[in-house]
Amino acid sequence: MNHSHSHSHTHDHVDFDWAAMADLLELEGEAHLPYVRGALARFEGQTPGRILDVGSGPGVAACEMAQRFPASEVVAVDGSPELLARAEKRAARLGVQLTTRVAEFPADLPDLPDADLVWSAQVIHHVGDQLGALTQLAGRLRPGGVLAIAEGGLAPRFLPRDVGFGRPGLLFRLDAAVTDRFNHMRDELPESVAVAEDWPAMLRDAGLADAHSQSFLVDRPAPLGAEPRRWLRDSLERQRQVLADYLAADDLATLDRLLDPADPAGIDNRADVFLLVAKTVHFARRP
Ligand SMILES: C[S@@+](CC[C@H](N)C(=O)[O-])C[C@H]1O[C@@H](n2cnc3c(N)ncnc32)[C@H](O)[C@@H]1O
């Protein structure tokens, strides 16, 4: 996803090398699985004929769907063949049936097969015209089919306000930095359209009915287990890199100390690390 158009921002170009983020995305998907399970529980007892996971990345949610709906055809769709290869490996490891399909958004969305459930998590905000993308996805639904979009919620909490050193409240300033970078990322997207991000209203504008939202918690109390902790470390490391221009020097120093594997107060070693996240999923149905 390299856009090379020129721009005049203070910050560096926001680029995502999705394939290089495979490990991070897979660990993240696993750390956040409880919200996916919560959302999928709503479809208990149903057998969607075909399910699309649009922007599946390494396929954690797609494999969960394949496990939960063994009679359904589950298709993981993504722009990155490398990530889809990871999804295939994961499916083989878990012994579930998964089909993959390379597609670029929004250009290839109209060519996707029709489906009874279209799931798309943390993807629409990477497309310039979000309402346009939702409308294309809505168009892939069979009559009665459901579109489920995971966007928004509450940012991760994983440390106390005062971590014992540095200026208290680091996570709140991280939120602000992430938001600034997010705005910058959206401004840079090709054909970026500003829209009020009222997701149920957008789903209605996309021609769907019964639009509503539900939030699901990921609540892993301290001490955080090894795998989600690995995600947290990798994710903080990435934030340290990409938010360097957006954070004050003292907060960068706090992050450096948190990321030091030899420091007993570092993220790898402290007993008070937890993971608390709320994810919001917006559901709507094709009449
Ligand atoms: C933030 S990841 C989300 C992965 C997964 N759905 C999850 O919730 O963990 C975004 C995914 O969307 C894919 N993606 C982003 N923009 C895309 C585009 N314009 N076309 C195709 N795929 C895209 C990326 O390759 C990546 O796998």
Side-chain angles (χ1 to χ4, degrees):
M1 232 141 302
N2 290 309
H3 330 121
S4 54
H5 57 281
S6 64
H7 54 88
S8 54
H9 291 282
T10 356
H11 296 297
D12 278 356
H13 196 51
V14 177
D15 252 336
F16 291 90
D17 182 350
W18 292 113
M21 288 168 66
D23 288 335
L24 183 66
L25 289 173
E26 194 163 6
L27 283 169
E28 174 164 321
E30 288 170 352
H32 291 164
L33 251 184
Y35 102 82
V36 174
R37 292 194 172 127
L40 293 180
R42 294 171 44 116
F43 302 94
E44 197 79 62
Q46 302 177 27
T47 302
R50 183 183 290 131
I51 303 175
L52 304 181
D53 181 356
V54 176
S56 66
V60 179
C63 286
E64 182 66 22
M65 294 177 207
Q67 218 150 25
R68 209 171 252 263
F69 306 106
S72 304
E73 181 197 351
V74 181
V75 188
V77 183
D78 204 277
S80 160
E82 293 89 346
L83 292 181
L84 290 177
R86 287 284 285 250
E88 283 165 8
K89 264 197 206 150
R90 183 177 178 86
R93 196 162 69 240
L94 298 175
V96 297
Q97 288 297 323
L98 186 70
T99 313
T100 59
R101 178 157 173 156
V102 180
E104 199 53 40
F105 317 145
D108 300 331
L109 291 178
D111 304 328
L112 296 180
D114 61 358
D116 304 287
L117 172 59
V118 176
W119 168 272
S120 189
Q122 337 294 339
V123 173
I124 299 297
H125 64 249
H126 291 290
V127 178
D129 180 0
Q130 300 181 100
L131 177 57
L134 289 180
T135 306
Q136 304 270 26
L137 289 181
R140 303 325 308 136
L141 290 175
R142 295 169 176 165
V146 172
L147 179 56
I149 299 295
E151 288 288 347
L154 298 173
R157 289 290 167 264
F158 48 89
L159 282 170
R161 184 191 67 91
D162 189 335
V163 302
F165 53 89
R167 182 159 41 117
L170 170 69
L171 296 198
F172 301 98
R173 293 186 297 281
L174 268 183
D175 287 352
V178 166
T179 303
D180 282 350
R181 182 168 184 272
F182 190 96
N183 293 342
H184 180 44
M185 179 278 291
R186 287 236 23 105
D187 287 347
E188 279 198 324
L189 284 171
E191 287 159 66
S192 186
V193 182
V195 65
E197 286 161 356
D198 174 344
W199 295 98
M202 289 161 85
L203 289 170
R204 284 189 289 274
D205 288 347
L208 300 178
D210 301 336
H212 63 283
S213 312
Q214 189 178 352
S215 296
F216 303 90
L217 272 194
V218 175
D219 183 9
R220 301 182 184 275
L224 191 63
E227 290 293 293
R229 197 181 282 252
R230 207 146 69 79
W231 165 68
L232 194 53
R233 147 164 283 284
D234 290 2
S235 157
L236 266 189
E237 234 161 38
R238 180 176 156 79
Q239 292 201 320
R240 169 69 180 85
Q241 281 167 22
V242 302
L243 299 178
D245 287 354
Y246 297 81
L247 289 168
D250 62 341
D251 284 338
L252 291 173
T254 302
L255 276 177
D256 285 339
R257 182 153 177 210
L258 286 169
L259 288 168
D260 179 355
D263 195 321
I267 204 82
D268 298 314
N269 303 312
R270 10 190 342 139
D272 61 356
V273 178
F274 57 94
L275 179 59
L276 178 62
V277 188
K279 293 278 190 182
T280 305
V281 185
H282 312 278
F283 300 90
R285 190 177 48 80
R286 177 166 173 195

